[in-house]
Amino acid sequence: MIYYESEIVELKESVNETLAKEMVAFLNSFGGTIYIGVTDKGIVKGVNNVDKSFRQISDVITDSIEPSPVGLIEPAFTYDKEKPLIRITVKKGLRPLYCIKKHGYSPAGCFLRIGATCKSMSADEIQRRYVQNLANTDLMISSVGNTGILSFNTLKNYYYENGYHIEDESFEDNLKLHTTDGHYNKLAELMSDSNMVPVIVVKFQGKDKTSISQRNDYGGGCLLFTYEKIRNRFMSENICKSDTTVRPRRDRYLFDMSAVTEAIVNAFVHNDWTKSQPLFCIFKDRLEIFSHGGLPAGQTKEDFFKGISCPRNDALMRIFNNMHISEHTGHGIPLIVRKYGKKAFDITDDHINVTIPFDQEVLKSVGNNVGNRVGNKAESSVINSAGNNEGSYIRDDKIENAIIALILKDQKVSAKKISEKLGVTSRTVERIISRLKNQGVLERINGTRGYWLVKK
């Protein structure tokens, strides 16, 4: 590997007193990687005492930086040219401002990554970010939830599936699911297995809100699962028009799913949940994704469109980040702007509404049937076949179709969850899945922590 310093790479021959400064600079900028055991000229020297170096790095992470960057900085052991190295991955910070604790919020304690060097922040920049830091106090943490006794089995399963080791005794505290006086907070309510928070997708018959054709509530449970259901619903609406007269075949979609996914994520993690929940609307000619709260305090529209992230809900953002739903890279807004322009955003002090227009060529090819021939039929088939008939007998072919429909909606769905949704035994589900695997219809990727692939 060839090493050279850049805006996102720092090389250090050994752990020294400047390490905290480099970490702070990456936290305050766009993140980056620090290699220990490589000179600033890119020469691989190796680390003499790996254990000691790891302890020093751990001390810097836990004791030298404020606010705590734990979870954002990940040291790892690696080799190059048979020499041991330490690679430290630093993510962009979840807070607007980080500093070296002993120097505080001053030019001596606050740094930015500029090119291949660290530069002290100006007093004006520190003041602006500091005010932003104070203004963005996470109200989801301090606001008491509406439910008394909560469980978090779904949330724990998400963490297990993403390779995290869970300690039941500390799980809730680590995710900040309590207020300071010990009550479950708003974040806990949203992440619980069961709650009374609706998250609505409304489909209208025309171009305005005068006539509703469908109204579906995907809330009532863990927000991560709600997000997946909302995303899958929009995927089902995304009709594809294929041109088979050319090779390779050209596919044209009703809307750009990558941009819509980013808009959905932003609506979840940046919504002011203390006011109300986001709303997702499907019109004849467009999608609208509405969230409450406007821009977070201290963020300008210029920074917003540049993709400079300023999370309103730090703890919620961290959970989505841990699930690799949101990587906190700030690329989501520029992606939407690149595809649909700044005009896609209606930003006020109270809300942000994102409008995604449909592709006119695809729209003409399907007329008024947007979404009617995909997704919804499969979903209703599952419900009609099994969802309301728990314990009833269903022929294997119908169960097969229902299982495949569920897997198409959620590639990580478990056999237990399938059996619960269909009202049949886990043994029946496992038997049919085994048969589908043998027939080459299904394939399991990456074992128990992986996902299902529908091959036929």
Side-chain angles (χ1 to χ4, degrees), residues 233-249:
R233 171 61 189 273
F234 279 103
M235 289 177 68
S236 76
E237 298 282 353
N238 197 13
I239 294 171
C240 175
K241 178 184 178 183
S242 298
D243 183 356
T244 58
T245 63
V246 296
R247 292 290 182 271
R249 184 185 70 185

Side-chain angles (χ1 to χ4, degrees), residues 32-76:
T33 304
I34 303 170
Y35 289 96
I36 308 295
V38 184
T39 71
D40 56 8
K41 302 297 184 182
I43 301 172
V44 177
K45 294 287 189 178
V47 178
N48 292 328
N49 191 325
V50 174
D51 290 339
K52 179 181 178 181
S53 296
F54 263 105
R55 286 195 299 271
Q56 292 173 321
I57 293 167
S58 177
D59 289 342
V60 172
I61 294 172
T62 56
D63 300 334
S64 299
I65 300 174
E66 191 174 74
S68 173
V70 173
L72 297 173
I73 303 177
E74 300 176 356

Side-chain angles (χ1 to χ4, degrees), residues 62-134:
T62 56
D63 300 334
S64 299
I65 300 174
E66 191 174 74
S68 173
V70 173
L72 297 173
I73 303 177
E74 300 176 356
F77 180 70
T78 186
Y79 271 100
D80 193 355
K81 299 178 181 177
E82 299 183 352
K83 294 180 180 180
L85 303 179
I86 298 175
R87 181 183 63 248
I88 307 173
T89 303
V90 184
K91 297 179 181 179
K92 176 180 169 62
L94 292 173
R95 302 294 297 177
L97 184 62
Y98 291 79
C99 70
I100 297 175
K101 191 177 293 186
K102 67 178 181 181
H103 296 300
Y105 296 107
S106 69
C110 300
F111 299 89
L112 290 172
R113 187 75 177 184
I114 307 294
T117 61
C118 294
K119 298 291 186 182
S120 295
M121 295 174 64
S122 67
D124 288 343
E125 175 67 7
I126 292 171
Q127 182 182 23
R128 185 179 74 82
R129 291 205 187 194
Y130 185 73
V131 170
Q132 187 175 329
N133 227 355
L134 294 177

Side-chain angles (χ1 to χ4, degrees), residues 168-193:
D168 286 336
E169 297 79 8
S170 58
F171 179 77
E172 295 179 8
D173 289 336
N174 288 341
L175 295 187
K176 300 182 179 179
L177 302 183
H178 300 105
T179 61
T180 55
D181 56 1
H183 295 289
Y184 281 123
N185 54 30
K186 188 66 177 180
L187 177 63
E189 181 183 1
L190 290 172
M191 287 296 161
S192 64
D193 295 325

Side-chain angles (χ1 to χ4, degrees), residues 395-400 428-442:
R395 293 204 322 260
D396 276 3
D397 59 343
K398 289 188 176 182
I399 299 178
E400 283 186 6
T428 298
V429 172
E430 291 168 357
R431 173 175 56 80
I432 295 176
I433 284 178
S434 177
R435 185 171 69 220
L436 291 172
K437 288 168 66 178
N438 291 334
Q439 293 172 349
V441 176
L442 290 180

Side-chain angles (χ1 to χ4, degrees), residues 186-248:
K186 188 66 177 180
L187 177 63
E189 181 183 1
L190 290 172
M191 287 296 161
S192 64
D193 295 325
S194 178
N195 57 54
M196 300 297 291
V197 181
V199 182
I200 306 297
V201 175
V202 183
K203 190 169 185 177
F204 298 94
Q205 290 185 357
K207 297 181 180 181
D208 56 33
K209 296 184 177 181
T210 56
S211 180
I212 295 176
S213 63
Q214 290 179 359
R215 183 183 184 278
N216 300 102
D217 183 359
Y218 293 97
C222 177
L223 199 62
L224 294 173
F225 190 39
T226 297
Y227 158 76
E228 288 193 4
K229 290 187 287 185
I230 296 287
R231 182 175 180 273
N232 289 338
R233 171 61 189 273
F234 279 103
M235 289 177 68
S236 76
E237 298 282 353
N238 197 13
I239 294 171
C240 175
K241 178 184 178 183
S242 298
D243 183 356
T244 58
T245 63
V246 296
R247 292 290 182 271

